[in-house]
């Protein structure tokens, strides 16, 4: 982990929020924290530009900015916020005298078709702007920094004026353009060859333009692409192909010189943002596979929120990478330069506007994937990582208004960071009315980085561009060297000897553009000492010599590197099993039974040929009985879940000789087979004497009854199908109160009647949460609402009706009490395991507290005990659910959608058809009672906090 040191910047912040609103003079000295040996300076700031969303660097070292001044004008008052009536702009910024500070700013284009653009790439004389619904290409033919031609390059993307729309494009090492797009579909996009992408999901909302979406659409390749996507396309607009799907909202895709793709994906407000390596063809797991259900609707009992959020226990889903908690990830780039020092070569830089930081990772190859454990905030405005960030929290500490929207590497090798600057993170509004923004430059303290002068008319200049740290500048060198043909081969052979492996990888891609002679050189590199170069060689050959792909795949299918074999699996995805089967069998021989990246790649290789592969694998293994399957064989069947495996999976699930975890995985695989045989087999598991198996089978039957198995389960009734008893009287009074035609007196009487029953009181809480009860009525109802000995209901009522006895203890006083951790353990067992777990003991109504000491110190733990509503963990907020029969209940929502699952404060689960639900209300409070209601004394709270702070706090059955 890098130590973070302070770099003082000689400028001032705008000040407090009032400064944002009224344009007051800067008041607070700014600071950025960077690694030892580096320094941060302000390179440019408003009024040279406003509200930067994305940036790129051209061959002259200039920085181009997309502005989003008109960001969500449907939410922001144009009379109070800076607005550009002629449309948003693309700006060009330059440091003309080389002193490290921009001194020139000019408008390249202002266009009404540009509405809150989220991406820009400058590739030669083309300026590519990503702005849903279109990719717009402006061409500057004469170099006067004004566009001479405008082309709508692609169109049909969802997400107009939406954070989840079309994001920036970047030139890959193959010369193709790579883009990311969020899940604000539908996306119906046709390339210049007439090939049409159709992608969508159930996600709607976030803007008035995102009212409809369509999941489960098939594109012209016959595949269903879901949610957010990564795709690439040729610079002439042909050859559109999807490389990965089912993201939530990746702001950018970073493509390194090997052809690896990296992304950071925003979560669904549940502390689950992630940074990932993207496996080509991978399903990133945010929605159900075809996008017809949300992750909440598919969350299974016992799954953590983070596991369910990215479907990490489902077959066919790529491993998540690094989950780092709450945040708002934005720009991402790989630093392939040594300009900052060799220690920073290969660092993946990922901006997060919510966390006020740029994270720095050194992903390490591990098996067929990557390990992200070496990562930490690399650049920060606070020096402290805000792991408890919430997007709509407004903090008067202006250090937290640093909102990095993008990060890029300049032609000089310095890091440039665009700062949106706002008290909150975009989301659905902005508070900075003057559109302030900055660009920071991070460079070595004692080394002056120089912007090079690159002459593309000379071979030396073309090579300089090709080796440049700036991604899209490299593309210009690539294209110029490519145009020289085989004459450039001697120079390229020298580059293959570079000690910088990224330079070697770029050269491999360029060799692939030089005809048979270059291809022959690449074939030799399939035996290179570096597995990353072997992977790159195969990727290039796949593009430029596809006719011999199967032979190349067979040649290295038993490569010692699992990452190389993974790439072979991906490469043969579209080759029929009759031809690819022998290679697949070699790849299967290399599977250790554990590597999830490798397993997922095998699934990609066998997509669409699962039945053939299963039959061949069975024959090859000697048709073993299901209980005798090897670990690797069982894992592959789980990943493929072929229709023909239903009975075998049932046998494994019922076999008590097998470990319980193995049996439970068989149940999961069975749940993903959409046939009658699978439904019948799952019903057979209800007879299991093991409640883990029978209970899991019941959940799957209840869940699949609403989708894949609906035609086969018409005669099956779950014991959970029984709804709460109807409450028509309470429903009548509730409807009377909501009836705008009723008099105030009638409404008052209806509210008093509701206060006579527990169900009626829940309706009153719903009305209070919706802001529909006047203070005078709440005051009259207060006494009746609190007439309840149930501490959980009383907690809820007290939040909305203002109980006098709910006041918290003084944190400082309680923190100063002497503590007895052993007594705290006894108190925890007596009062807390009804909602919390330590190890395997307790319930999961509230967060698992086994490792709470690794995230919070004792004072923070104590604060959570005595002020439970102050910082509610995502996923621990209660929902109030109203049923169409008049019943009402509240608790944690474990799933939502066709099947709604609620766990009440006592741990009882209610599973119901979504059609039985009339409404849901998210309650902005904690389900945990305050200490006075448990009851706990100040000393009790102090002792429990001491116990929870222990490293070893194991509980025994």
């Amino acid at each position: 982990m890098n130590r973070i040191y302070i770099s003082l910047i000689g400028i001032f912040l705008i000040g407090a929020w009032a400064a944002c609103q009224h344009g007051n003079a800067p008041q607070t000295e700014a600071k950025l924290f960077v690694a030892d040996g580096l320094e941060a300076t302000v390179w440019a700031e408003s009024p040279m530009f406003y509200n930067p969303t994305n940036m790129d660097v051209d061959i002259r070292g200039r920085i181009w900015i997309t502005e989003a001044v008109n960001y969500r004008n449907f939410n922001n008052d144009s009379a109070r916020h800076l607005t550009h009536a002629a449309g948003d702009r693309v700006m060009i910024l330059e440091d003309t005298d080389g002193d490290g500070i921009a001194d020139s700013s000019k408008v390249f284009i202002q266009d009404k078709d540009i509405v809150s653009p989220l991406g820009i790439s400058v590739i030669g004389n083309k300026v590519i702007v990503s702005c849903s619904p279109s990719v717009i290409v402006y061409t500057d033919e004469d170099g006067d920094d004004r566009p001479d031609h405008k082309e709508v390059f692609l169109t049909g993307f969802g997400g107009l004026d939406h954070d989840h729309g079309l994001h920036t494009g970047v030139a890959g090492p193959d010369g193709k353009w790579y883009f990311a797009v969020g899940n604000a579909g539908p996306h119906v996009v046709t390339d210049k060859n007439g090939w049409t992408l159709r992608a969508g999901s159930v996600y709607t909302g976030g803007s008035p333009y995102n009212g409809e979406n369509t999941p489960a659409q098939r594109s012209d390749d016959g595949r269903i692409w879901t949610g957010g996507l990564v795709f690439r396309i040729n610079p002439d607009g042909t050859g559109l192909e999807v490389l990965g799907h089912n993201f939530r909202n990746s702001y950018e895709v970073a493509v390194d010189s090997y052809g690896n793709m990296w992304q950071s994906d925003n979560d669904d407000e549940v502390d689950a943002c992630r940074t990932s390596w993207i496996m080509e063809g991978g399903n990133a797991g945010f929605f159900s596979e075809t996008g017809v259900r949300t992750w909440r609707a598919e969350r299974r009992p016992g799954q953590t929120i983070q596991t369910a959020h990215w479907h990490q226990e489902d077959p066919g889903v790529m491993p998540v990478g690094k989950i780092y908690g709450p945040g708002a990830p934005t720009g991402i780039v790989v630093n392939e330069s040594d300009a900052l020092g060799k220690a920073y070569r290969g660092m993946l830089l990922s901006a997060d506007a919510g966390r006020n930081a740029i994270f720095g990772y050194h992903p390490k190859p591990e098996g067929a994937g990557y390990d992200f454990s070496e990562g930490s905030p690399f650049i920060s405005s606070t020096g402290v990582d805000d792991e408890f960030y919430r997007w709509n929290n407004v903090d008067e500490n202006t250090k937290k208004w640093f909102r990095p929207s993008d990060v890029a590497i300049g032609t000089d090798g310095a890091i440039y960071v665009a700062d949106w600057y706002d008290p909150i993170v975009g989301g659905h509004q902005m508070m900075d009315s003057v559109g302030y923004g900055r660009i920071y430059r991070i460079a070595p303290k004692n080394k002056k980085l120089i912007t090079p002068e690159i002459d593309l008319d000379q071979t030396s200049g073309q090579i300089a561009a090709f080796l440049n740290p700036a991604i899209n500048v490299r593309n210009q060198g690539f294209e110029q060297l490519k145009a020289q043909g085989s004459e450039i081969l001697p120079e390229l052979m020298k580059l293959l000897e570079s000690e910088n492996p990224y330079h070697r990888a770029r050269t491999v891609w360029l060799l692939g553009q030089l005809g048979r002679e270059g291809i022959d050189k690449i074939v030799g590199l399939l035996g290179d000492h570096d597995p990353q170069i072997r992977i790159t060689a195969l990727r290039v050959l796949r593009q430029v010599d596809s006719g011999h792909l199967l032979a190349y795949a067979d040649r290295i299918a038993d490569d010692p590197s699992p990452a190389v074999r993974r790439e072979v699996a991906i490469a043969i995805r579209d080759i029929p099993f009759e031809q690819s089967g022998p290679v697949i069998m070699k790849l299967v021989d290399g599977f250790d039974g554990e590597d999830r990246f490798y397993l997922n790649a095998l699934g990609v290789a066998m997509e669409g040929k699962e039945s053939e592969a299963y039959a061949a694998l069975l024959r090859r293994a000697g048709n073993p009985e299901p209980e005798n399957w090897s670990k690797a064989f069982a894992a592959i069947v789980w990943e493929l879940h072929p229709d023909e495996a239903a009975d075998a999976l049932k046998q494994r699930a019922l076999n008590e000789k097998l470990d319980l975890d193995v049996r439970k995985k068989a149940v999961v695989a069975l749940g993903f087979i959409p046939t009658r045989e699978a439904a019948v087999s799952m019903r057979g598991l209800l007879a299991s004497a093991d409640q883990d198996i029978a209970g899991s089978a019941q959940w799957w039957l209840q869940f699949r009854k609403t989708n894949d198995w609906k035609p086969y389960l018409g005669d099956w009734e779950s014991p959970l199908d029984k709804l709460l008893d109807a409450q028509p009287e309470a429903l009548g009074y509730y409807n009377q109160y909501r009836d705008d035609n009723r008099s105030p007196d009638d409404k008052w009487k209806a509210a008093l009647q509701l206060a006579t029953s527990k169900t009626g009181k829940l309706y009153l809480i719903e009305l209070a949460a919706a802001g529909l009860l006047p203070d005078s009525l709440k005051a009259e109802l207060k006494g009746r609402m609190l007439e309840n000995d149930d501490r959980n209901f009383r907690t809820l009522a007290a939040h909305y009706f203002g109980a006098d006895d709910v006041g918290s203890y003084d944190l400082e006083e309680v923190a100063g009490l002497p503590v007895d951790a052993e007594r705290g353990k006894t108190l925890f067992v007596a009062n807390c395991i009804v909602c919390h777990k330590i190890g395997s003991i307790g319930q999961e109504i509230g967060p698992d507290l086994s490792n709470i000491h690794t995230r919070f110190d004792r004072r923070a733990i104590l604060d959570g005990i005595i002020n439970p509503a102050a910082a509610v963990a995502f996923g621990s907020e209660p929902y109030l659910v109203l049923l169409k029969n008049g019943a009402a209940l509240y608790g944690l929502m474990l799933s939502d959608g066709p099947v709604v699952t609620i766990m009440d404060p006592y741990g009882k689960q209610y599973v119901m058809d979504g059609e039985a639900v009339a409404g849901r209300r998210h309650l902005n409070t904690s389900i945990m009672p305050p200490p006075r209601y448990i009851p706990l004394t100040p000393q009790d709270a102090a002792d429990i906090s001491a116990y929870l702070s222990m490293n070893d706090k194991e509980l025994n059955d």
Side-chain angles (χ1 to χ4, degrees):
M1 179 181 293
N2 290 301
R3 290 195 300 153
I4 297 181
Y5 283 76
I6 187 169
S7 174
L8 299 179
I9 301 173
I11 55 109
F12 295 93
L13 291 173
I14 280 193
W17 183 15
C20 283
Q21 297 296 310
H22 304 297
N24 294 346
Q27 298 174 359
T28 307
E29 188 175 10
K31 301 175 181 178
L32 273 191
F33 293 79
V34 296
D36 192 15
L38 302 179
E39 62 181 353
T41 55
V42 172
W43 189 80
E45 62 182 321
S46 299
M48 298 179 79
F49 62 94
Y50 299 98
N51 282 7
T53 58
N54 203 246
M55 63 180 171
D56 196 19
V57 182
D58 70 13
I59 200 164
R60 293 163 56 183
R62 302 183 300 178
I63 290 183
W64 297 59
I65 288 287
T66 45
E67 296 179 330
V69 168
N70 296 336
Y71 175 73
R72 293 181 178 266
N73 273 352
F74 57 82
N75 257 4
N76 297 304
D77 184 354
S78 59
R80 295 179 57 249
H81 286 79
L82 177 66
T83 302
H84 285 156
D88 276 320
R89 307 184 302 179
V90 173
M91 305 296 295
I92 308 173
L93 308 174
E94 185 175 12
D95 172 11
T96 63
D97 57 10
D99 66 351
I101 301 174
D103 48 53
S104 170
S105 172
K106 65 176 74 171
V107 178
F108 174 73
I109 185 67
Q110 185 169 21
D111 189 341
K112 287 190 175 182
D113 287 341
I114 303 179
V115 181
S116 303
L118 295 178
I120 183 169
S121 288
V122 183
I123 301 178
N125 65 353
K126 296 184 183 300
V127 179
I128 304 155
V129 176
S130 298
C131 183
S132 286
S134 302
V135 176
I136 303 173
V137 177
Y138 299 94
T139 304
D140 178 7
E141 301 282 5
D142 55 10
D144 64 351
D145 292 333
R146 300 293 297 173
D148 299 298
H149 179 67
K150 172 184 174 182
E151 175 193 6
V152 177
F153 181 76
L154 290 173
T155 195
F157 297 98
L160 171 64
D161 201 6
H162 197 302
D163 296 4
H164 293 217
L166 179 65
H167 298 288
T168 195
V170 62
D174 54 358
K176 299 185 179 187
W177 297 352
Y178 291 67
F179 292 85
V181 61
N183 64 351
H187 310 303
V188 182
V189 181
T190 301
D191 73 7
K192 297 287 177 25
N193 274 344
W195 189 96
T196 298
L197 162 72
R198 301 173 189 88
S201 68
V202 293
Y203 174 70
T204 58
S207 90
Y209 317 115
N210 192 42
E212 296 181 1
N213 204 339
T214 308
Q217 301 182 78
R218 286 197 186 275
S219 296
D220 283 359
D221 58 4
R223 291 188 167 102
I224 294 175
W225 301 111
T226 296
L229 312 168
V230 171
F231 66 93
R232 69 183 168 204
I233 191 168
N234 295 322
D236 64 1
T238 64
L240 193 158
E241 56 182 325
V242 176
L243 303 174
H245 74 129
N246 210 358
F247 300 97
R248 183 173 186 262
N249 185 39
S250 296
Y251 196 88
E252 278 189 350
V253 56
V255 186
D256 68 22
S257 291
Y258 300 116
N260 290 315
M261 298 175 290
W262 312 87
Q263 65 90 36
S264 287
D265 199 359
N266 205 343
D267 65 0
D268 197 15
E269 298 189 11
V270 289
D271 290 5
C273 291
R274 60 177 173 180
T275 302
S276 311
W277 170 75
I278 302 171
M279 180 183 293
E280 184 179 340
N283 170 3
F286 179 61
F287 295 102
S288 64
E289 184 177 10
T290 61
V292 298
R293 291 180 295 276
T294 67
W295 69 270
R296 293 180 189 275
E298 298 214 323
R299 184 184 178 193
R300 302 196 286 276
Q303 285 188 324
T304 66
I305 286 177
Q306 291 183 340
T307 295
H309 189 276
W310 302 118
H311 286 83
Q312 286 299 287
E313 292 177 344
D314 289 9
V317 176
M318 71 181 194
V320 72
K322 170 76 171 182
I323 294 180
Y324 65 88
T330 50
I332 188 169
V333 69
V334 178
N335 175 43
E336 300 185 0
S337 164
D338 294 339
L340 302 180
K342 287 188 178 180
Y344 302 112
R345 181 203 289 172
M347 178 175 276
L348 179 66
L349 298 166
S350 179
D352 193 295
R355 299 281 278 269
N356 318 114
I358 311 293
F359 288 92
Y361 300 98
H362 276 291
K364 287 186 174 181
E366 183 178 67
Y370 288 88
D371 172 21
F372 283 81
S373 60
E374 288 192 12
S376 63
F378 179 63
I379 302 165
S380 168
S381 63
T382 64
V384 178
D385 185 19
D386 184 6
E387 295 183 19
F388 313 111
Y389 152 79
R390 295 294 181 261
W391 80 267
N392 56 351
N393 281 357
V394 178
D395 198 313
E396 292 185 2
N397 177 4
T398 53
K399 293 178 182 179
K400 293 188 176 182
W401 296 5
F402 169 65
R403 304 298 185 186
S405 57
D406 199 13
V407 56
I409 310 298
T411 58
D412 57 354
I415 298 170
Y416 291 84
V417 177
D419 177 12
W420 168 271
Y421 190 82
D422 203 283
I424 65 170
V425 179
H428 302 286
Q429 59 182 310
M430 56 184 176
M431 293 185 176
D432 171 15
S433 64
V434 299
Y436 192 76
R438 293 191 191 84
I439 297 173
Y440 294 95
R441 180 176 184 266
I442 293 86
K445 283 183 178 179
N446 301 313
K447 175 183 175 183
K448 185 174 183 180
L449 300 182
I450 305 296
T451 299
E453 294 185 8
I454 299 174
D455 183 0
L456 290 176
D457 291 331
Q458 304 294 322
T459 297
S460 59
Q462 295 166 11
I463 292 175
F466 183 59
L467 300 181
N468 194 266
I471 296 170
N472 290 329
V473 171
R474 299 200 287 259
N475 177 264
Q476 290 183 258
F478 176 91
E479 293 295 339
Q480 294 284 341
L481 293 168
K482 171 184 168 182
Q484 291 199 41
S486 59
E487 293 182 6
I488 198 64
L489 272 172
E491 294 293 334
L492 298 188
M493 299 313 293
K494 296 176 186 176
L495 295 182
L496 275 180
E497 302 303 318
S498 173
E499 63 88 27
N500 185 325
Y502 292 105
H503 295 175
R504 297 188 70 212
R506 285 176 222 167
T507 305
V508 179
W509 287 101
L510 184 51
L511 285 170
Q513 306 297 315
L514 303 182
R516 192 70 245 173
E517 194 173 355
I519 291 172
D520 289 343
K521 300 288 186 185
I522 298 172
V523 173
L525 293 173
L526 291 174
D528 192 83
H529 68 277
D530 183 348
Q532 293 298 320
I533 294 297
R534 301 199 295 274
I535 289 169
T536 305
L538 181 61
R539 287 172 175 165
V540 178
L541 291 169
R542 184 181 169 196
Q543 288 194 21
V544 302
D545 195 19
S546 59
H548 297 97
L549 175 60
L550 196 57
Y552 298 138
D554 184 61
R555 175 174 169 176
I556 57 173
D558 55 1
D559 190 280
S561 165
V564 174
R565 301 196 302 272
R566 169 210 75 213
E567 207 62 29
V568 172
I570 293 168
I572 62 175
R573 178 186 196 185
D574 293 319
I575 299 177
F577 188 76
E578 292 80 2
Q579 289 81 50
S580 62
V583 176
I584 288 174
M585 295 305 149
K586 280 189 179 182
L587 295 172
V588 167
D589 287 343
F591 178 44
D592 63 4
E594 296 183 357
D595 188 331
R596 280 293 306 276
F597 284 99
Y598 198 102
L599 179 61
N600 192 214
L602 288 175
V604 170
M606 291 182 263
E607 179 191 332
K609 41 206 175 202
E610 293 87 354
S611 295
E612 297 168 283
Y614 177 60
L617 288 167
L618 272 176
R619 288 193 302 270
R620 196 162 180 262
N623 293 302
E625 291 298 318
E627 70 173 300
N628 295 325
W629 287 358
S630 69
K631 185 176 183 180
F633 188 93
I636 292 170
V637 174
W638 177 84
E639 180 75 8
L640 301 183
H641 49 278
D643 296 351
E644 296 79 4
D647 184 65
L649 290 166
K650 174 188 172 183
Q651 292 181 50
R652 284 178 66 80
L654 290 173
N655 194 322
E656 296 183 2
K657 296 178 183 177
L658 300 175
D659 290 342
L660 180 60
D661 286 345
V662 170
R663 297 167 64 197
K664 289 167 74 172
K665 288 202 75 170
V667 178
V668 171
L670 186 60
F672 278 90
I673 299 175
T675 64
R676 178 186 298 275
E677 291 74 14
V680 172
S681 294
M682 191 67 79
R683 290 180 73 163
L685 299 185
L686 294 173
S688 173
D690 192 312
Q691 286 306 303
D692 285 309
I693 299 300
S696 180
Q698 180 171 287
W699 184 91
W700 277 106
L701 289 164
Q702 181 80 35
F703 173 64
R704 289 297 184 208
K705 188 177 180 179
T706 66
N707 46 79
D708 291 354
W709 295 344
K710 188 172 184 178
Y712 318 130
L713 295 177
D715 64 338
W716 180 76
E717 289 188 10
S718 166
L720 297 176
D721 280 344
K722 188 176 184 299
L723 293 176
L724 292 171
D725 292 338
Q727 301 290 331
E729 187 176 15
L731 179 61
Y733 289 127
Y734 172 74
N735 289 335
Q736 180 177 325
Y737 188 90
R738 296 294 298 255
D739 187 349
D740 291 338
N741 294 319
R742 294 280 187 166
S743 68
D745 186 54
D746 284 345
K747 290 190 172 192
W748 196 282
K749 291 177 181 177
L752 295 178
Q753 288 295 326
L754 286 171
T756 62
S757 70
K758 184 171 182 178
T759 299
K761 288 179 178 180
L762 287 174
Y763 275 113
L764 287 171
I765 287 171
E766 195 278 336
L767 292 168
L772 297 177
L773 295 180
D775 290 343
S776 56
L777 179 54
K778 287 170 68 174
E780 180 162 341
L781 292 169
K782 176 179 173 180
R784 303 184 193 192
M785 292 297 294
L786 298 173
E787 291 174 351
N788 199 308
D789 293 332
D790 183 329
R791 69 185 190 183
N792 295 305
F793 182 84
R794 188 177 177 86
T795 297
L796 193 61
H799 179 76
Y800 289 102
F801 289 87
D804 298 325
D805 61 347
V806 77
S808 64
Y809 301 134
D810 183 272
L811 176 61
E812 298 304 326
E813 289 183 7
V814 181
L817 295 174
V819 295
D820 182 342
E822 192 61 32
R823 179 174 180 271
K825 177 179 180 179
T826 302
L827 288 164
F828 182 88
V829 171
N831 296 281
C832 306
I833 61 171
V834 293
C835 291
H836 298 282
K837 288 184 75 171
I838 296 288
S840 61
I841 308 300
Q843 293 206 64
E844 291 185 276
I845 300 172
D848 188 321
L849 302 180
S850 302
N851 297 308
I852 191 171
H853 63 281
T854 66
R855 294 192 61 191
F856 304 99
D857 60 19
R858 191 179 78 83
R859 189 181 185 283
I861 294 171
L862 181 60
D863 192 14
I865 295 171
I866 65 179
N867 297 301
V872 186
F874 274 142
S876 298
E877 313 97 326
Y879 278 77
L880 198 158
V881 176
L882 308 181
L883 304 184
K884 291 178 181 178
N885 70 357
L889 71 161
Y890 77 102
L892 302 183
M893 184 172 287
L894 303 185
S895 70
D896 194 10
V899 176
V900 175
T901 307
I902 298 293
M903 181 165 61
D904 72 15
Y906 320 99
K908 184 176 180 180
Q909 290 191 21
Y910 296 84
V911 182
M912 63 203 79
D913 192 312
E915 293 184 359
V917 176
R920 307 155 177 80
R921 172 71 62 183
H922 183 204
L923 303 176
N924 62 339
T925 186
S926 172
I927 203 167
M928 178 178 167
R932 293 181 191 273
Y933 284 6
I934 293 178
L936 295 173
T937 67
Q939 185 64 61
D940 294 341
D943 290 345
I944 291 173
S945 71
Y947 165 65
L948 292 176
S949 301
M950 295 171 59
N951 289 325
D952 181 10
K953 46 182 177 284
E954 183 177 351
L955 294 175
N956 297 318
D957 290 312

